[in-house]
Amino acid sequence: MAAELTGTYKGDQVFVTVGPVLISGFSDGDAITVKRAAQLYTTKVGIDGGVARVRNANKSGTIDIKLLQTSKVNDELSELFYVDNFNEDGSPILSVSVNDGNGRTLCSAGQAWLKAVPEISFGDAIGTRTWSLECADLKIFVGGN
């Protein structure tokens, strides 16, 4: 059987929005990570080998975004964080989306918030700033390219 090209991935066609902010200035490597907080099912095996499963209702998860320290988006995310930090009414709750424009993967949440400001380091090379968003209702569709 002959080898077959299964698709083409283009990192510059992955689009991320956090509230009103279109994210740019990503770091190299795995710049965007999306992960559910819990598995869909947990299992319990009895002494006779019978297996039961429980559906987990937890739809929360985390989206981590790694930006170059030089990205101006760091300023915009800092502003969103500090609005939330100084408002005691629970705002802003943000929408977030990760869309592979050259493929079919789509991740989104209608209720997300920035967990903390990134850890900051300075050295002899351009560093990264990792922004972590907690999502109450993370939806993930894993598609191909």
Side-chain angles (χ1 to χ4, degrees):
M1 188 160 130
E4 179 181 331
L5 179 64
T6 60
T8 301
Y9 169 74
K10 294 177 67 178
D12 65 350
Q13 293 299 304
V14 177
F15 302 101
V16 179
T17 57
V18 175
V21 180
L22 178 60
I23 307 299
S24 62
F26 295 104
S27 71
D28 58 348
D30 288 337
I32 306 157
T33 305
V34 181
K35 184 177 180 184
R36 274 276 183 89
Q39 297 178 11
L40 183 58
Y41 290 97
T42 57
T43 58
K44 183 86 169 182
V45 180
I47 62 169
D48 63 353
V51 178
R53 67 180 191 165
V54 176
R55 179 142 180 160
N56 192 332
N58 183 355
K59 303 295 186 237
S60 68
T62 304
I63 298 175
D64 291 330
I65 303 166
K66 293 180 182 177
L67 301 178
L68 295 172
Q69 78 181 58
T70 55
S71 174
K72 292 182 180 187
V73 171
N74 288 306
D75 301 76
E76 295 179 72
L77 293 176
S78 287
E79 289 172 9
L80 289 175
F81 177 80
Y82 281 107
V83 167
D84 194 17
N85 188 46
F86 292 112
N87 285 339
E88 295 186 14
D89 64 356
S91 66
I93 299 298
L94 305 164
S95 61
V96 60
S97 70
V98 178
N99 183 7
D100 181 355
N102 196 49
R104 295 174 297 281
T105 297
L106 177 62
C107 308
S108 65
Q111 300 176 40
W113 53 93
L114 291 161
K115 291 169 62 171
V117 291
E119 181 177 319
I120 299 170
S121 62
F122 297 97
D124 61 357
I126 295 172
T128 60
R129 306 293 186 246
T130 302
W131 293 90
S132 187
L133 291 121
E134 188 78 25
C135 305
D137 58 341
L138 183 59
K139 298 168 198 70
I140 301 173
F141 180 83
V142 181
N145 282 72

